[in-house]
Amino acid sequence: MKKWLALSAMLLAAMLIAAGCGGGKNDKGGSGASPAAAAGGSQAITIDATNFKFDPGEIKVKKGDEVSITLKNSQGNHALKIEGYDKEVKGNATVKFVADKTGEFKFICSVFCGKGHGDMVGKLIVE
Ligand SMILES: [Cu+2]
């Protein structure tokens, strides 16, 4: 416990020193606070599609996140469809949506791409 306190005090001191050095020219008051962040974060994910898998095959986001999924077709011609979210993205394109429901959602390739087509399955986890 004492160690933790000492560490906090050191951090605080370091912050004060840093602020003291750079703060001289700031003549605007405290109104410069950064704009309020949106409730959710944002997640930009690129999924690489090859014959016959998605990489990564599992993606995880938080509820409320603005999700942007880019599907890159490195090999073959694929598309990605998220079941339960009713979202689809074709190869070399991006789909954006807000992850507004939690759960695990399967995503599949929605373009018939050959004998391994049925193996192209992944999972979107919204926590
Ligand atoms: Cu396919």
Side-chain angles (χ1 to χ4, degrees), residues 19-31:
C21 289
K25 283 182 179 168
N26 187 4
D27 46 19
K28 274 193 176 177
S31 62

Side-chain angles (χ1 to χ4, degrees), residues 52 77-78 109-114 117 120:
F52 295 92
N77 180 33
H78 311 279
C109 175
S110 54
V111 172
F112 184 75
C113 52
H117 175 68
M120 298 193 67

Side-chain angles (χ1 to χ4, degrees), residues 20-124:
C21 289
K25 283 182 179 168
N26 187 4
D27 46 19
K28 274 193 176 177
S31 62
S34 50
S42 61
Q43 298 266 2
I45 298 154
T46 299
I47 297 180
D48 193 47
T50 52
N51 295 336
F52 295 92
K53 74 188 225 319
F54 292 118
D55 183 26
E58 186 177 298
I59 54 183
K60 205 183 270 190
V61 302
K62 291 209 163 64
K63 188 184 175 190
D65 278 357
E66 206 169 282
V67 182
S68 157
I69 295 177
T70 300
L71 181 67
K72 201 176 123 207
N73 274 346
S74 293
Q75 182 190 41
N77 180 33
H78 311 279
L80 185 157
K81 185 176 180 184
I82 305 170
E83 295 180 343
Y85 257 94
D86 204 22
K87 294 293 170 197
E88 186 170 15
V89 59
K90 295 202 160 61
N92 306 314
T94 300
V95 65
K96 287 183 185 175
F97 59 96
V98 174
D100 55 4
K101 46 189 174 185
T102 55
E104 293 192 3
F105 304 89
K106 192 173 145 187
F107 59 79
I108 57 163
C109 175
S110 54
V111 172
F112 184 75
C113 52
K115 62 176 163 55
H117 175 68
D119 299 334
M120 298 193 67
V121 183
K123 203 196 299 180
L124 163 71

